[in-house]
Amino acid sequence: MKRITIFLAAVAALLATACAEKSEMATYPAKSNEGIFAQSYYSLVSDDGEDATVAITLYRASSKGDASIPVTATTESPSVFDIPAEVAFKDGSAEATLMLGVKFSSFEPGEGADVVLSLGGAPTSLPYYTTSRVEAKRDYSYSVYAHGTYESSMLSALFGSYISWEMDLLVADQNPEYFRLKDFYYEFAGGRNYSDPGYNFDFLWDGESEEIIPVAELDEYGCATIDTGFFHPVYDLCSMYVDTDPEYTFYDADDRTFYFNYATLVSLGMLLDWDYDYFTLD
């Protein structure tokens, strides 16, 4: 199983604890069975197809007393997920763990399923998540398709100098149109001081045409958010907000280059304006 990064856990924990310990300052009385998820979305990916159990963190508004909060699940694949009917909180604790079982062995490579988890208990006025969507997928296996050079406008702007690095473009063994730049920002020179592995840029491409389609959920503007794994010392995780319109994000066969048009996003909003990253095949 790949690591599941929980970006909002620290914030949620702080607020949940504050409500628990200083409920007299809240605009409503905090309840012990008033629960929230740390995140609204989880992506679980298995490299080997083995069944696994994953811990999902929950918080509650008040840590006083024992409490159980009901959990309901909505999914078209109920046989894939093993979900407890409730989550128990111990007296004095504002945090609990939901253990989610996933039968990855039921998927062929490239297949997956999702489930929406909902919390019962007392209605909450906390501005966080009482539902969370979990997407589980069995990954493909990969081979090297080509070698190339990646150029980053984001890092060039942040570091004040031109930054590029060499890396491989991978293709899925089970799907010849599924490509991956693995750990792509982790590969730049010195990147291990600033970046984490496990962040990939996946896209669909037929190997010839201009059209490339990032494998990510699109928003109402047709843009996809790709987490780079690069952590800014002030703004934390930086993401590429990619415009998937083929007029802006495409492959040019003449110069053997992929053009990725994007703005740099952080948790507080846009950090850098629209620009391009390039990946040129040898």
Side-chain angles (χ1 to χ4, degrees):
M1 285 296 299
K2 292 183 178 177
R3 178 173 59 85
I4 303 166
T5 306
I6 302 178
F7 300 117
L8 301 177
V11 177
L14 177 62
L15 291 176
T17 303
C19 290
E21 295 179 353
K22 298 184 178 180
S23 60
E24 71 275 8
M25 297 178 64
T27 59
Y28 64 95
K31 302 177 181 65
S32 61
N33 63 339
E34 184 179 352
I36 58 174
F37 288 99
Q39 289 183 224
S40 62
Y41 172 75
Y42 293 84
S43 178
L44 313 178
V45 181
S46 171
D47 296 321
D48 52 21
E50 295 185 0
D51 297 344
T53 300
V54 180
I56 293 179
T57 302
L58 284 77
Y59 301 101
R60 62 173 174 167
S62 173
S63 61
K64 295 180 180 178
D66 295 339
S68 295
I69 297 179
V71 179
T72 58
T74 304
T75 178
E76 296 181 356
S77 307
S79 62
V80 171
F81 300 101
D82 183 12
I83 302 166
E86 61 183 22
V87 175
F89 288 84
K90 297 294 186 182
D91 182 31
S93 177
E95 178 179 331
T97 301
L98 184 155
M99 302 305 296
L100 174 69
V102 184
K103 296 181 177 64
F104 287 104
S105 59
S106 63
F107 302 141
E108 293 297 324
E111 293 183 345
D114 65 349
V115 59
V116 176
L117 304 175
S118 302
L119 296 179
T124 182
S125 297
L126 295 174
Y128 294 100
Y129 315 112
T130 56
T131 64
S132 184
R133 184 167 74 89
V134 180
E135 187 177 78
K137 178 182 177 180
R138 180 176 176 180
D139 204 359
Y140 295 114
S141 58
Y142 295 87
S143 300
V144 175
Y145 176 82
H147 189 75
T149 301
Y150 195 97
E151 303 173 52
S152 170
S153 65
M154 177 199 306
L155 296 182
S156 297
L158 293 175
F159 285 90
S161 61
Y162 172 78
I163 292 181
S164 67
W165 59 92
E166 294 185 5
M167 64 182 305
D168 290 327
L169 176 64
L170 307 181
V171 62
D173 296 326
Q174 299 85 0
N175 184 347
E177 296 189 355
Y178 194 104
F179 290 84
R180 170 169 292 176
L181 292 169
K182 179 178 174 60
D183 300 331
F184 68 129
Y185 264 60
Y186 188 67
E187 291 297 322
F188 84 92
R192 287 158 181 76
N193 297 324
Y194 305 96
S195 305
D196 284 350
Y199 294 85
N200 309 315
F201 192 166
D202 293 0
F203 57 88
L204 301 176
W205 178 52
D206 65 8
E208 297 178 348
S209 68
E210 292 185 354
E211 185 178 25
I212 55 178
I213 304 173
V215 179
E217 190 170 348
L218 302 185
D219 65 11
E220 63 269 31
Y221 306 107
C223 295
T225 299
I226 310 295
D227 295 333
T228 65
F230 170 76
F231 289 83
H232 189 279
V234 175
Y235 299 106
D236 205 48
L237 178 69
C238 292
S239 302
M240 297 169 62
Y241 184 63
V242 180
D243 187 341
T244 63
D245 188 321
E247 181 178 353
Y248 301 105
T249 293
F250 58 91
Y251 173 73
D252 187 327
D254 291 336
D255 57 15
R256 293 172 54 82
T257 298
F258 295 92
Y259 292 77
F260 306 119
N261 181 237
Y262 71 100
T264 301
L265 289 186
V266 295
S267 60
L268 298 179
M270 187 180 295
L271 179 63
L272 297 174
D273 206 351
W274 293 90
D275 209 330
Y276 282 91
D277 276 10
Y278 310 91
F279 183 68
T280 302
L281 303 178
D282 293 346

